[in-house]
Amino acid sequence: MSLTEETRAPAVLPDAEAFSLIDAGGAAVPEKQRRGYDLPDIDVLKELYRRMVIARRWDTQVTALTRQGRLSTYPSARGQEASEIGTVAAMQDTDWLFPTYRDSIAVWSRGVPTAELLSGFRGDWHCGWDPNEHRTAPQATPLATQTLHAVGFATAAKLKNDPIATVAFIGDGATSEGDAHEGFNFAGVWQAPTVFVIQNNQYAISVPIAKQTRARMLADRAVGYGIPGYHVDGNDAAAVYTIVSEALERARSGGGPTIIECLTYRMEPHTNSDDPSRYRDAEDVAAWKDKDPIDRLEKYLTAQDAIDDALREEIAKESEDAAAAMRDAMNAEPALDPMELFEHVYNAPRPALLEQRNALKAELDEISDGGRVN
Amino acid sequence: MSLTEETRAPAVLPDAEAFSLIDAGGAAVPEKQRRGYDLPDIDVLKELYRRMVIARRWDTQVTALTRQGRLSTYPSARGQEASEIGTVAAMQDTDWLFPTYRDSIAVWSRGVPTAELLSGFRGDWHCGWDPNEHRTAPQATPLATQTLHAVGFATAAKLKNDPIATVAFIGDGATSEGDAHEGFNFAGVWQAPTVFVIQNNQYAISVPIAKQTRARMLADRAVGYGIPGYHVDGNDAAAVYTIVSEALERARSGGGPTIIECLTYRMEPHTNSDDPSRYRDAEDVAAWKDKDPIDRLEKYLTAQDAIDDALREEIAKESEDAAAAMRDAMNAEPALDPMELFEHVYNAPRPALLEQRNALKAELDEISDGGRVN
Amino acid sequence: MAKTTETAADPGVTQPAKAAKPLTMAAALNTAMRDALTEDSNVVIFGEDVGPLGGVFRITDGLTRDFGEDRVWDSPLAESGIIGTAIGMAMYGLRPIVEMQFDAFSYPAFEQIVSHVAKMRNRTRGRVSLPIVIRIPTSGGIGGVEHHSDSSEAYWTHTPGLTVVTPSNPADAYSMLREAIASDDPVIFLEPKSHYWMKEGTPQSGPALPMNKAAVVREGTDVTLLSYGPTVAVALKTAKLAEDEDLSVEVIDLRSLSPFDDETVGASVRKTSRAAVIHEAAQFGGYGAEVAARVTEREFYHLAAPILRITGADIPFPAPLLEKHYLPTPERILNALSTWEWEV
Amino acid sequence: MAKTTETAADPGVTQPAKAAKPLTMAAALNTAMRDALTEDSNVVIFGEDVGPLGGVFRITDGLTRDFGEDRVWDSPLAESGIIGTAIGMAMYGLRPIVEMQFDAFSYPAFEQIVSHVAKMRNRTRGRVSLPIVIRIPTSGGIGGVEHHSDSSEAYWTHTPGLTVVTPSNPADAYSMLREAIASDDPVIFLEPKSHYWMKEGTPQSGPALPMNKAAVVREGTDVTLLSYGPTVAVALKTAKLAEDEDLSVEVIDLRSLSPFDDETVGASVRKTSRAAVIHEAAQFGGYGAEVAARVTEREFYHLAAPILRITGADIPFPAPLLEKHYLPTPERILNALSTWEWEV
Ligand SMILES: Cc1ncc(C[n+]2csc(CCOP(=O)(O)OP(=O)(O)O)c2C)c(N)n1
Ligand SMILES: Cc1ncc(C[n+]2csc(CCOP(=O)(O)OP(=O)(O)O)c2C)c(N)n1
Ligand SMILES: [Mg+2]
Ligand SMILES: [Mg+2]
């Protein structure tokens, strides 16, 4: 087998109009605008709804605790639930997710326990979970770097003939980094089973998308890599789920990578230490509130008689449980062992590092209360 | 003034067919395939021919002297004369060129004297000419880095309202680097007056273009940046000159950047130390000989009765003069002053560096023959 | 857009007066850029979030508003692109000031910095100089999450062609940044982020010390502590504590990491005959190694004991709740000094 | 495609036998990769021109032919992409060997190497290790044009999480590369390009020395020369010349730059009481600074003189015709040693 082939991909411009299945008002998009796609099964939609509601509750709780100082920082994904959950709901258990700092709710929704997930933002360890157990890489902070990890991982799976795909989340701002290009390009050349989900939430901290690209849209980048590109309404979980599912299936069955731009909006500040009033108008935020991903799905499901009070209550309870578990996890003192700092740097033991470890040990032993320096 | 605007560029797919005005047989391309362009003036074509012939003779001479060991290395542009000369002939004196190691003939054709130009490849100093004097940046070795220099320079000119454009040459392989993306993207966002000339000579040392991109062609990348993209027959000097001229005029008059892919072929090894028999067939090379950029223009001009023996002779003489001057320059011992090594590292003098300088001075003084160590 | 004049900034007239009132370091830096933008129309500022937001640390606060978007603007999010285009602008004759949001986010620009910014002048026999200032909020101490607390100085100081300086107080922040902007050499300007909001500094009277000189910020006779950026405060605290142990500690703020002020440091070490260098970065191959090696080379026969390095451990910078175990503290420094044989 | 077995490479059984016949270093490295590819189907090799061409130095010659394109292949031309995808592959369970064509061309990958390769294991509490070997033809001596002669070791050795080794002879090249491939830690493997075609090495009898140990390659009593990679040969030449001056020089080949073998070096320095470290990279903040600083820290009271550094000057690597003035020579080393006060 050879990773690359002589064949060149045809050049296809993505549709300018963002693909949508359920509009902002909660109505199904007319069939002739659906480009041949059906809405997902009602059970899938209910599940998306459930996961989004709980994720938002969880996210809200994390933001609240961050404001109270229990976490060092937290980048909220409020408003992006359809992109986050629509994507991970489309993944199989064996697929791998390569998330960013923004994507905690996606990671949480994949089953990583709160305390492990929030290690990094609380500050007890950089990554608290076992990536292999949850098939979820650490949340990447250096922007766009994770796209290449996702491509390498997927390529390895391809080389081993394992039907595994990877998903790399990336923000709109991060697409300007060289690594984003290299990620897209390597994926195209190696036909890696990777789905790139660009969450275009319109801002990179304070910088609006117009300062990141002159192109019509980020999905247009796909043309230059010979990769199929999609522009999707990122606040429509049905649309995100549909396009990501298709892309993942294509990837797993040898059809190569896909670039999907989800048009969405970051409702919260970049992180708790950001001040959006310096760079965007409250009206913009309000306008996007009308496109809320959860509201619209709720309206649709209500109109379909697919949710009743029992389900609402069940979800509300699950949400409160998630929030309570989150609070409990963050209110419990984290287990901190300064000696662990020296443990994972290398597999092969190093005498000089042991000396440094022992010096810290001696220092701490000297301190009367046994384990705390000033 | 603001560098970026809210306006998004429309998405336009470049024509798949490489644009050409004079075909491989030396005939003018039929008018209806010329996309509305006329052939350049006959005087322009004669000048292109003259400069290409001399450039090839010069390049051949450099290759020969490199084989004899007078130069440390030399990457020849044989076969790429139409792209190299067609481009620089379209530039105004005030425009700046940002070349690579491949583009010595372009630099030479801009008037940089041989001895200064070949400093780097002979090995007496990294860059031998004054970039400001020749409005030509040093030849970049770290791939794709120069695209950003060209964009920054052009942006500065734009900020100062100076009608100056920049040209960045870049190879097909180098377009895979992150910096190529960042160069294209910054140019798009800032609407920098920069023309990117991708010389797709089909190989990056040994690696064929199919291993660099899955896209139809490199010009397709332009779509993702909202930049006009062109796919040009890079062995047709008339076509290259026409498209680059237009792009430069657009750039100088506020119309922003352009990406031009010139499809061509590297007839020589990557450098003298390369062995192309390991990665490409002699037949491929032979096939490209039939598309030779100089032959075709000569045929066209001959058919037009635009060259006579007098002109041929004149050009032959100029060529031999250039070759002789080249030989003389390289056969003269380069002026080497080890003390100069310490002179240009910083503008602000450093005592510790002076100590190192003096140590070398003492070492050299000690050596009887006055200036040579072992 | 604010009015600008064509007067080039003059390195000779850095005005410490402006920074003499108690400013935060953030304000001092902001003022330095403001003054430079006013005096020299070739000064431009760009980078990630440096425009309307004023940078994530607000160091460029108000500059876009006051000088316009063609002097101070937000670039696309790409560090190699920022440095690469700054190179082109400097070739044109501008004097770009760019910000890397954190040390670790300068790494994508490593090639542009090491292979071009550092080498362009030498490559072109002095014909093309690159008066670029690369501002980097450096080091830890603010509980930053991963990648937000690196100290990258050793990478830059090992690279010939770069000038690397770091202020430890507002007055220096002002005068050194002015001088860096006026310098024809490219300057890596490391700003200790934990000090941005500190008002106290080391007030200086008289004209500002040139940025390539170290400052003796506290005189002493028994030991010289060599510190810079965020560790100057730690060294001063140590000196204070050492008084209880009857140890007279001289503290030097190196200020300029490259070039290194051999003269000032040498004079101090010849006096005290003992020295230690303090930094946050990992020890192995850290900047302290150069300090220890060169001072030992030059002053070996004046040294009563080896030069010690009290630094971060050879591990990645820890997560926020563990960073206190990593950062050098006065206690750790005093402990280290006590390991010397004192009765030689 | 060649047959491969699932047997994992065993670091314990590096087979110096294979390298015992007089091979060039190039052939030794090629053989090491060949053996690893044969023994472990998870070993893959990719990078620029490593396929049909066999790399610009032909170190991977014939490997694509013999193992197929899904084991050894040409990647797109992008170093960050190469390292970044290698990280993903290693996370999957492969053991990628990648080549950076020259030191300076590893710089575009600096962020991936420093922020991920070095830190992934620590970040994940040891759950994700990255058994990646990054091969880099290093240093000068071949008259390379600009950017082709850098010595980048100081950047890597300062970065916790990386293992950095460099062989100086074919036997070591074989055994150390085998061990690097078998290591679960990421390894920066620096290959002195000026030595690729040298056959002479330091023949070793018995099992190969582990890659984290320094080797005493020549015994002596008066001075210890600490060398590595391309400077081992220079140090040995110096030792030979020093015989004429009745100076007995011990030469150590450090082999492993990170970790540093304190034990072997310490024992030698305690014996000779004088040491100098030799490298090609610029001196300021170079690897020699760490060597001088740490050996002085540990052996101060055994030292009769400061540890000297004979290194490249603090300037960008010169153009080919001037490099001889930059590279450390035996004459320069002997000159330096003569600056010591010898009658203490
Ligand atoms: C290489 C790098 N440069 C800079 C940063 C600092 N930074 C963190 S988030 C961010 C903005 C990212 O915006 P975007 O990609 O749109 O993602 P979003 O935060 O909107 O989800 C920046 C500049 C970083 N983490 N990594
Ligand atoms: C950043 C970087 N990586 C690797 C190299 C080594 N290198 C020099 S030329 C070359 C191939 C470039 O191919 P291409 O861009 O197609 O240009 P061409 O040589 O064909 O003109 C490589 C890999 C380099 N100079 N810079
Ligand atoms: Mg965003
Ligand atoms: Mg090419």
Side-chain angles (χ1 to χ4, degrees), chain D residues 32-57:
Chain D
M33 286 187 274
R34 194 173 280 282
D35 290 352
L37 283 162
T38 305
E39 289 173 23
D40 184 351
S41 65
N42 286 323
V43 172
V44 295
I45 300 177
F46 65 102
E48 296 158 11
D49 302 291
V50 298
L53 183 65
V56 293
F57 290 107

Side-chain angles (χ1 to χ4, degrees), chain B residues 75-77 80 84 100-103 140-145 170-177 198-207 209 212 218 266 270-271, chain C residues 111, chain D residues 48-49 56 77-79 100-102 104-108 146-148:
Chain B
S76 161
Q80 302 180 206
E84 300 272 357
T100 77
Y101 56 89
R102 176 72 58 212
D103 311 309
T141 295
L143 296 168
T145 56
I170 176 169
D172 48 312
T175 64
S176 296
E177 292 279 5
I198 304 174
Q199 291 192 74
N200 177 358
N201 65 6
Q202 324 244 4
Y203 284 90
I205 308 185
S206 70
V207 182
I209 180 72
Q212 302 293 348
L218 293 168
R266 193 194 75 212
H270 171 70
T271 65
Chain C
E111 180 186 37
Chain D
E48 296 158 11
D49 302 291
V56 293
L77 206 176
E79 293 78 10
M100 304 277 96
Q101 216 159 66
F102 290 86
F105 308 144
S106 66
Y107 302 159
E146 200 190 355
H147 307 289
H148 288 76

Side-chain angles (χ1 to χ4, degrees), chain A residues 148-293:
Chain A
L148 286 158
H149 308 165
V151 172
F153 193 98
T155 301
K158 179 180 167 169
L159 287 170
K160 293 288 185 185
N161 287 313
D162 294 334
I164 291 174
T166 61
V167 169
F169 276 124
I170 176 169
D172 48 313
T175 64
S176 295
E177 291 280 5
D179 272 12
H181 158 60
E182 298 186 20
F184 297 155
N185 192 46
F186 274 64
V189 174
W190 291 348
Q191 288 292 288
T194 298
V195 178
F196 300 98
V197 177
I198 304 175
Q199 292 192 74
N200 178 359
N201 64 7
Q202 323 242 9
Y203 284 91
I205 307 185
S206 70
V207 183
I209 180 73
K211 294 192 173 171
Q212 301 294 348
T213 180
R214 173 86 172 176
R216 231 176 21 153
M217 54 196 195
L218 293 168
D220 284 344
R221 295 269 299 279
V223 176
Y225 304 110
I227 296 179
Y230 294 86
H231 188 214
V232 174
D233 180 339
N235 280 15
D236 175 2
V240 173
Y241 176 85
T242 300
I243 299 299
V244 174
S245 297
E246 184 187 77
L248 281 168
E249 270 157 43
R250 184 167 50 236
R252 277 185 230 104
S253 55
T258 304
I259 295 176
I260 300 170
E261 176 185 4
C262 295
L263 191 68
T264 180
Y265 199 83
R266 194 194 74 212
M267 299 301 286
E268 291 280 333
H270 172 70
T271 65
N272 48 301
S273 52
D274 182 31
D275 174 9
S277 74
R278 287 173 169 252
Y279 57 82
R280 70 183 188 188
D281 296 333
E283 296 95 80
D284 285 1
V285 184
W288 276 90
K289 207 161 164 18
D290 293 340
K291 305 181 194 168
D292 189 81

